[in-house]
Amino acid sequence: MAETSLSGWDPTSLAVAEFTALRAEIVQLTGLQSQIVTLTVVAFGAIVPVGLQNNNAAIVLVYPLLSLILGIVWLYKAHLITRIAAYLRSGVEERVGQSNLGWEHFVQQHPLPRGRFAYWGLRSIFPTTSLLAIGASIHVAKPSIALLVLYGLAFMVTVASVVVFILWREPAPEVKPRRPRTQRGKVTDPPDNRLPAPGSRQQAADAGQLGAQS
């Protein structure tokens, strides 16, 4: 399919419009994530008391499965946000220059202080509430084979929730490996392996050393 000619359009205006539209989509996805977290907390506060009041542990054990589903949806939104941010960084900001549009590059270069705790703390809402639901259901549990099976399934679902958030986590600057530091706390730069420019002093010195050795 042939691309439409954009010779009559201003490239800068197109880049700004694209950046604005995609940033608005990120804001929308972030809002949906907040709604999912709210729904998770509300569901926990509704299902657990109902099960306890009716002395029915099976009702409470439904929550871990619901929490896993909501957690996967939340994580899917997080990956959509990451994909849009990556495109803005490489496809828009690199095109117009970081001095004009550079927010996504700034975010990558300046992670939030102690952001690792916030990153994992938010995600822990889903498996933690599942564990709390399982623990609360024990007080009204009536021993039976069917209930033991439900407990096993609920525990497996909770473990699956933890595994999903660990293995399918989206990249973020807060969880990137830290660069090595010196004893004084200064970041050590990697060795410069670039070749010296032709005619430079470094190249002349290298040539002199080779001549002396020969």
Side-chain angles (χ1 to χ4, degrees), residues 19 74 96-97 103 116-117 155-156 183 192 209:
F19 186 89
W74 185 94
V96 301
W103 171 247
R116 189 181 298 265
F117 296 100
F155 184 76
M156 291 175 59
Q183 294 181 353
D192 190 358
Q209 290 179 1

Side-chain angles (χ1 to χ4, degrees), residues 198-209:
S200 64
R201 295 182 178 179
Q202 181 64 34
Q203 188 182 40
D206 293 341
Q209 290 179 1

Side-chain angles (χ1 to χ4, degrees), residues 1 5 14 41 46 51 58 189 197:
M1 182 177 178
S5 176
L14 288 175
V41 176
D189 295 326

